[in-house]
Amino acid sequence: MPEFYLRTESIKSDDILSLSVINNYDKDIITALKSSEPCLIEGSRGTGKSFLMRVAELEIERSDVSSISVYVSFNISSLVDTEDPLQFYHWMLAKSLKALINKLKKRGIVLSSYSVSLLSNDEHNEYDGVDEDLKSIVSAFENSYKGKINIPTHSLPDIEDVKEAIETICIEHKLKRIYFFFDEAAHVFRPDQQRQFFSLFKDLRSPYITCNAAIYPGVTYFGKSFEPTHDCIYKRLDRNIKDAGYIDYFKDIVLKQSDDVTKKAIKEQGGLFKVLALSSGGNPRMLLRTIQDLERFNTQSVNQLIKQFYRSQIWIEHTELGDKYKGHKQLIDWGRDFLENIAISAIEKYNTNRKDKNKEESTIYFWVHKDSPATVKEALRLLTYTGIIRKLDSGVRASRGELGTRYEVKYGCLIALQSSPNNESDDFFNTLSIKKFPEFGKNHSSYLTISNLKNTIEDINTFRESLSNMLQKPISVLKLLTSWQKSKLNHAKIFNLEQLYSCTETELIAKIYNVGPVRARLMKNAATAELLEYLSG
């Protein structure tokens, strides 16, 4: 099978729009991102949050010369570790201003000395001085994991000066608005960082600034000063497998990146494509990844891959989160055990009973009481982050009139349990009923092993230990690097993640025979993207 783009970061800006497949649901989100109101997009990994933000960014740039869009990724946030209690706020502000200045330069906009003085806390009156200071601050924060250092943030402006500077820039250059698109909006396993991010998100609000951000379900901490329902437009990026047009939509996504052989196979084997698309549970990355891993587009290969990926690989990747972040390990391990051995077993039993009674009803859903222990809810939230389950709705009444939350298990995780997923899929899918689900009350026996678990999520020392351990991992853990890339990196004596992160493009050129600047940059970007995704979970 061909190689697909599995991450938006791998796609050139010029190719984003040509590869985009936009339905009415996506259009609604893009419209919100282009509005004057701040917007948050919530979705699991691989659902397309970054891609839609890129589309919105490009549409703004191409259709409205009086607006400027600035895309800022915070994917390197896991490496920020200083004694500054507001380290993330300062780092994110410096990174955002640096990205803004870069975009203004590209547009040929020259700042007045007044704007420059505001952006540099009266340290400079020339453009280049501000740029160099911001670059130095960002770099120092991003290398702070190596040891405790004090970073001179005195040149960072007050947030009110930032807003005044942007207002001045807009008035002087006849601009209507500056749009910030924040991707990887603060590290999901650092609640302190997330709270600081949302303080910055809210602080930047002005008639000339709109902030948009992509966040993850279940694991986002907003802090006390930010209310999603009042402070922004809140959009969930969920793709329901029961929606009309679901299969055609995902087929278009795959065909946009497919070679002629794959296009022909999909056209001739529509049923096989359907079971792969349903198995992904609405996750474009998972669908592309599974098709890319197929040996052949036939029934045997599809059945084999679905069983391997949804019975094994998807669970292994979830469990690895606990190995990376020790403070979450017990929650992650319990969540897997509960879902795999209890919830899914209950769903299977329910489906078998209904089938034995000749009832045309099946389910991939389960319900958890609203008063279940907080640790149970946290474990389930982590499962929504990795996308194994999806939170459908809360406040749902169960059989005894009690209120709780309804979840959907990824379709592939259930169909993979059949001897022939492809043959069983149509009947199973056609009988799915959202009204049918096993129930887990507030005192279910499975909660006993986790209900009194000590919360270590906020423990900074635990996080530092986890980060140090991850940086010593071999580059072989980076699954999406090619064998050629890994061999070349090893040949250059780059064996672990820390060595990879520390190596510059120039050093790659010097160390790797027959690798020029272009290929070195591609290798460095691909390796860094994979490295940062590994570190962030």
Side-chain angles (χ1 to χ4, degrees), residues 280-330:
S280 72
N283 189 303
R285 185 186 296 173
M286 254 179 219
L287 175 59
L288 292 168
R289 183 177 168 187
T290 47
I291 292 177
Q292 181 174 275
D293 290 345
L294 277 175
E295 289 186 10
R296 294 180 182 83
F297 213 101
N298 59 28
T299 301
Q300 182 179 351
S301 291
V302 167
N303 282 339
Q304 183 178 346
L305 182 137
I306 287 175
K307 290 179 183 181
Q308 188 277 328
F309 187 83
Y310 293 103
R311 283 185 185 180
S312 176
Q313 188 60 40
I314 197 171
W315 296 105
I316 290 171
E317 292 176 6
H318 181 74
T319 300
E320 282 178 349
L321 286 178
D323 296 330
K324 296 175 186 177
Y325 297 103
K326 307 299 183 184
H328 293 74
K329 182 172 176 56
Q330 286 178 274

Side-chain angles (χ1 to χ4, degrees), residues 26 140 176 198 218 256 265 289 329 358 415 455:
D26 296 333
K176 290 191 304 186
F198 286 108
K256 284 271 188 176
R289 183 177 168 187
K329 182 172 176 56
N358 294 317
I415 202 66
N455 184 6

